[in-house]
């Protein structure tokens, strides 16, 4: 079955770059889009962006170009870099398959921004 | 702030029917974009519950149903069960924001 697993540091300092990787198993990445979504503690969901297996990307304009995604189909992984983080970027970050709808989700990883 | 508005909470007794509304506008649901619903059990990732406004993925009980009319959509849960206690989110696309958007979320209490 399709499984996604996020990995990366749980603590990032303000102004630094948050880097996360999503490992995909049970399906080839080819032919699909792959997304990142985040959820601040106790709050709602926010779409960050998606990347196609070919490398095409689309990001949420409200994030002011701080997000950058990449994909490595040979490793069945895709990644998120999120720059200039502040405490407001503290959230659980989820990776998902596809968009509209987001049909498979990873379990999520909590990233805390703090010095 | 979200462009899709949901009631913060709804509650019902076991076996009852509850509905959750998702109110949008002419740049999202009213423009004809699909509406999807997700269920988030406590401490877990969201799970796709309804897609394309009315369709259920394999494995989702038929107690869950979706509808859409104009700029709004609704999720209905019939035969409410204790295991349905969760947060529910609607989701669509907004052409003004050029972004996928989620509703404000509704906590269902049984």
């Amino acid at each position: 079955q399709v499984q996604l697993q996020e990995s990366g540091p749980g603590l990032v300092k303000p102004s630094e770059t948050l880097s996360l990787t999503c490992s995909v198993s049970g399906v080839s990445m080819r032919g699909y889009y792959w997304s990142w979504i985040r959820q601040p503690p106790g709050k709602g969901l926010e779409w960050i962006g998606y990347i196609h297996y070919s490398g095409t990307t689309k990001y949420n304009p409200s994030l002011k170009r701080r997000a950058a995604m990449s994909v490595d189909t040979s490793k069945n992984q895709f990644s998120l870099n999120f720059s200039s983080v502040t405490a407001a970027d503290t959230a659980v970050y989820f990776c998902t398959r596809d968009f509209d709808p987001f049909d498979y989700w990873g379990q999520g990883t909590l990233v805390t921004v703090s010095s | 702030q979200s462009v899709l508005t949901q009631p913060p909470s709804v509650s019902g007794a076991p076996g009852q029917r509850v509905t959750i509304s998702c109110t949008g506008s002419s740049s999202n649901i009213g423009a004809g974009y699909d509406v999807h619903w997700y269920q988030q059990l406590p401490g877990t990732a969201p799970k796709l519950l309804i897609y394309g406004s009315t369709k259920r993925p394999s494995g989702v009980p038929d107690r869950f149903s979706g509808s859409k009319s104009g700029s709004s959509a609704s999720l209905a849960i019939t035969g409410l069960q204790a295991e349905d206690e969760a947060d529910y989110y609607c989701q669509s696309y907004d052409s003004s924001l050029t972004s996928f958007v989620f509703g404000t979320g509704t906590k269902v209490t049984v």
Side-chain angles (χ1 to χ4, degrees):
Chain A
Q1 72 277 25
V2 178
Q3 291 188 317
L4 296 89
Q5 178 69 58
E6 305 87 351
S7 60
L11 181 64
V12 180
K13 289 182 168 54
S15 79
E16 294 189 345
T17 296
L18 176 165
S19 296
L20 296 173
T21 296
C22 182
S23 298
V24 179
S25 60
V27 66
S28 170
M29 294 190 71
R30 295 185 177 276
Y32 291 102
Y33 289 81
W34 303 89
S35 294
W36 288 96
I37 291 167
R38 68 179 182 176
Q39 184 174 37
K43 297 188 178 180
L45 299 162
E46 180 180 36
W47 174 70
I48 297 171
Y50 68 56
I51 185 165
H52 189 245
Y53 78 99
S54 63
T56 301
T57 55
K58 177 178 170 64
Y59 301 110
N60 185 333
S62 72
L63 298 176
K64 296 178 170 49
R65 302 183 180 183
R66 293 194 293 139
M69 296 180 187
S70 60
V71 63
D72 187 338
T73 55
S74 67
K75 293 183 178 179
N76 249 33
Q77 293 179 335
F78 64 106
S79 299
L80 169 69
N81 281 344
F82 201 82
S83 63
S84 306
V85 296
T86 70
D89 297 311
T90 293
V92 175
Y93 286 75
F94 298 100
C95 58
T96 76
R97 188 182 79 167
D98 228 329
F99 64 92
D100 215 31
F102 306 100
D103 59 359
Y104 288 94
W105 295 60
Q107 65 185 28
T109 186
L110 174 63
V111 178
T112 301
V113 179
S114 175
S115 55
Chain B
Q1 79 205 46
S2 177
V3 297
L4 301 180
T5 302
Q6 301 177 230
S9 64
V10 299
S11 63
Q16 284 190 332
R17 179 179 187 268
V18 297
T19 60
I20 301 169
S21 60
C22 174
T23 303
S25 67
S26 59
S27 62
N28 42 70
I29 299 174
Y33 293 107
D34 275 336
V35 178
H36 318 294
W37 291 89
Y38 303 86
Q39 176 193 58
Q40 186 174 30
L41 297 170
T44 70
K47 167 192 163 187
L48 180 62
L49 197 65
I50 297 287
Y51 68 98
S53 302
T54 60
K55 305 179 188 68
R56 284 186 307 276
S58 174
V60 173
D62 60 7
R63 302 186 294 104
F64 296 93
S65 62
S67 63
K68 175 184 163 184
S69 177
S71 296
S72 295
S74 290
L75 173 71
I77 311 174
T78 57
L80 199 60
Q81 299 181 3
E83 66 203 50
D84 299 332
E85 277 207 347
D87 292 324
Y88 293 82
Y89 293 91
C90 59
Q91 178 252 309
S92 187
Y93 179 79
D94 190 281
S95 58
S96 293
L97 300 175
T98 62
S99 177
F100 297 98
V101 291
F102 288 90
T104 48
T106 299
K107 182 175 182 59
V108 170
T109 302
V110 181

